Amino acid sequence: RDPKVFWYAASSKWIMVLAVNDRIKIYSSFDLKAWTFESDFGMSYGAHGGVWECPDLFPLTVEGSVTTKWVLLVSLNGGPNGGTATQYFVGDFDGKNFTIPENKTLWMDYGTDNYAGVTYNNIPTSDGRRILIGWMSNWNYAQNVPTTTWRSTMTIPRKLSLANISGNYILKSNPVVEYDQYKANNSDTSATGPLKSISTKDNKIIKTGSYEISFNADLNNSTSFLFALGNLKEKISLNYDKVAQNLVVDRSGAGVDFANLLVQKIYCPFIPKVGKASKFQILVDKTSMEIFVDDGERVITTIFFPKYQYDQLKIEGDGTMSLLSNFSLKGISRTVNR
């Protein structure tokens, strides 16, 4: 299922990666008609909680270096927080075999609602980006979401990049720069200075339902941290569990409850960089929240369905030093700003 075909210039041939039950099969062709089997990958690698789907294989240059590695994406049921998710492998490809140095299970997104994403091929060399769009839902409840004229949506297009962090390759995801054109002129940057907490009520930007919240948080010097959106009756929250070293999303109190998975917390392993504040970029659009941490080193995508209009935001912690800085709340427009 789900063939992904690309041109492999080093051998002047086409390569196809194909998901077959619990593995990826690699084929080659000179004419896109006759295909030669080259190799298998994955029988004893990575997560196998369900059937493998939507493979994608592509090269990325490691940030700050001339080293090129190959990345293999594989989507499957049995993600880190239940239901569907996408794992990735970083290794080498020689036109026949994809190989990795060690068996690690790595997740592109720790949320429950970014699945089956693949990337565009043939983006001009002058651009050079690798851009992915994912399906923003989960097979555990996709057919039960409380919508009428449409069902499901897509993630924001994301630029993928590869970083070597403390000897480990990390696949980073960030909103494409074109997204900046949709940021509305209405904004609230009143809390740009270092603060212990931020709290807004009856906020006009949050009432629109589509906005970006960005800030830096010093999680090294705080034993508790809470980010919450909602109203007097509902909320969706993000907090940091310092003991367990997890970012935790709780959407159990955020509107319509139509699946067991919605009341379960979403956990994302996270350790703040020593001596540095953690950078958060959070995109909210009516029924979705896309969280990018430290320039996309960690990503959490989740959907929720509020019963009431949200108008409140709270960010707080108990740090001995100033917790928050560079706060910005900016609306997202439905039309491009020029």
Side-chain angles (χ1 to χ4, degrees):
R1 63 194 306 156
D2 309 326
K4 179 68 183 289
V5 177
F6 62 93
W7 178 251
Y8 185 69
S11 299
S12 298
K13 60 184 179 182
W14 299 95
I15 298 295
M16 175 173 64
V17 287
L18 191 69
V20 183
N21 193 21
D22 64 345
R23 68 196 68 185
I24 301 301
K25 289 185 176 292
I26 300 174
Y27 292 82
S28 67
S29 174
F30 291 103
D31 60 6
L32 294 175
K33 297 178 181 180
W35 292 91
T36 300
F37 172 73
E38 297 289 358
S39 63
D40 280 317
F41 173 82
M43 296 80 72
S44 57
Y45 293 95
H48 286 268
V51 173
W52 282 20
E53 298 184 297
C54 303
D56 196 358
L57 180 63
F58 50 86
L60 284 177
T61 301
V62 180
E63 290 181 347
S65 77
V66 296
T67 301
T68 296
K69 306 298 290 186
W70 284 77
V71 177
L72 174 66
L73 303 182
V74 177
S75 293
L76 75 158
N77 210 37
N81 284 288
T84 48
T86 300
Q87 63 180 323
Y88 69 93
F89 304 90
V90 181
D92 298 291
F93 180 63
D94 62 5
K96 293 180 178 289
N97 298 285
F98 174 73
T99 56
I100 59 176
E102 56 184 324
N103 188 359
K104 288 184 177 181
T105 301
L106 304 170
W107 299 102
M108 184 174 67
D109 190 316
Y110 280 85
T112 52
D113 299 291
N114 179 14
Y115 188 68
V118 291
T119 65
Y120 290 96
N121 287 336
N122 301 324
I123 291 177
T125 303
S126 58
D127 183 310
R129 289 177 296 174
R130 178 63 58 167
I131 296 174
L132 174 141
I133 299 178
W135 175 55
M136 194 149 51
S137 194
N138 189 306
W139 275 125
N140 276 30
Y141 47 71
Q143 299 182 58
N144 299 318
V145 293
T147 60
T148 53
T149 55
W150 55 270
R151 176 161 289 166
S152 299
T153 186
M154 309 302 285
T155 68
I156 194 167
R158 302 174 181 185
K159 174 191 173 183
L160 302 184
S161 56
L162 193 63
N164 187 332
I165 301 175
S166 301
N168 297 306
Y169 289 114
I170 302 297
L171 184 64
K172 298 166 59 176
S173 304
N174 283 288
V176 294
V177 295
E178 288 84 353
Y179 153 72
D180 289 341
Q181 300 177 61
Y182 290 86
K183 292 182 181 179
N185 293 325
N186 60 328
S187 62
D188 179 358
T189 58
S190 58
T192 54
L195 297 170
K196 294 284 188 181
S197 64
I198 293 171
S199 180
T200 66
K201 295 181 179 179
D202 194 30
N203 188 283
K204 293 181 180 180
I205 297 177
I206 294 176
K207 282 183 175 180
T208 68
S210 300
Y211 46 92
E212 175 194 276
I213 302 169
S214 59
F215 57 90
N216 295 342
D218 182 2
L219 302 182
N220 288 290
N221 294 288
S222 181
T223 57
S224 69
F225 166 77
L226 172 68
F227 167 95
L229 282 171
N231 51 43
L232 294 176
K233 298 181 179 180
E234 298 180 12
K235 73 174 182 179
I236 181 171
S237 65
L238 165 71
N239 66 71
Y240 177 55
D241 184 338
K242 191 168 187 175
V243 175
Q245 295 184 322
N246 281 317
L247 293 170
V248 185
V249 172
D250 185 350
R251 54 181 174 168
S252 61
V256 182
D257 178 10
F258 54 90
N260 291 334
L261 196 58
L262 268 71
V263 301
Q264 300 176 19
K265 294 180 179 179
I266 298 171
Y267 298 93
C268 174
F270 182 73
I271 302 175
K273 293 180 173 63
V274 177
K276 292 185 178 180
S278 300
K279 180 180 178 181
F280 289 82
Q281 181 183 20
I282 301 175
L283 310 186
V284 180
D285 189 16
K286 307 294 185 181
T287 61
S288 65
M289 180 181 290
E290 300 176 73
I291 303 169
F292 302 88
V293 186
D294 285 343
D295 296 313
E297 291 180 18
R298 286 289 188 267
V299 183
I300 307 171
T301 303
T302 185
I303 60 175
F304 60 103
F305 293 86
K307 295 178 183 178
Y308 309 97
Q309 183 183 57
Y310 285 7
D311 64 354
Q312 298 181 7
L313 164 67
K314 177 184 290 186
I315 310 175
E316 62 184 9
D318 66 351
T320 55
M321 298 176 62
S322 296
L323 174 71
L324 298 165
S325 59
N326 297 331
F327 171 81
S328 173
L329 169 60
K330 186 175 279 290
I332 301 174
S333 174
R334 296 293 171 174
T335 57
V336 175
N337 295 306
R338 299 214 182 265

